[in-house]
Amino acid sequence: MSIFLNLLKAFAVGGALCVIGEFLELKTRLTPARILVGYIIAGVILSAAGLYGPLADFAGAGATVPLTGFGHALTTGVKHAVQEIGLIGAFTGGLTGTAAGIAAAVFFGAVMALIFKPRPKE
């Protein structure tokens, strides 16, 4: 039963984040790129304020997979790096904290490009 509850929490939180994005796209003049950047900035701000960590603990993948989770990962990486190596960690921690996700995105993107035949939009 706990697996079902975890899935429900992840679906509810991830779905709520998607609803917010859809609302912003339909009701404002913001472009999708600006909305995506806004999500990353919101994740950074909420994480720096100490609000996103508990949400990520509660919802799991429903909060860590969307772009707000990427902002949270950047902030968490910077916090750890600053504690370990000082001020220079503010410049290196974000990349260190998100390196695995970025590498996976590049790798799987390349694999999909090899498997399927990408072509420009017409």
Side-chain angles (χ1 to χ4, degrees), residues 5-19 55 58-59 62-63:
L5 187 60
N6 287 339
L7 290 173
L8 185 64
K9 290 188 291 189
F11 180 78
V13 172
L17 290 170
C18 290
V19 165
L55 179 66
F58 171 77

Side-chain angles (χ1 to χ4, degrees), residues 35-111:
I35 294 170
L36 296 177
V37 170
Y39 266 123
I40 294 172
I41 293 170
V44 168
I45 292 170
L46 291 172
S47 182
L51 301 173
Y52 204 81
L55 179 66
D57 291 339
F58 171 77
T64 57
V65 171
L67 281 175
T68 49
F70 183 72
H72 173 65
L74 285 171
T75 305
T76 305
V78 168
K79 283 181 184 178
H80 289 333
V82 167
Q83 290 173 351
E84 289 179 9
I85 60 176
L87 184 61
I88 195 72
F91 300 103
T92 62
L95 291 174
T96 304
T98 59
I102 294 170
V106 170
F107 174 76
F108 288 113
V111 168

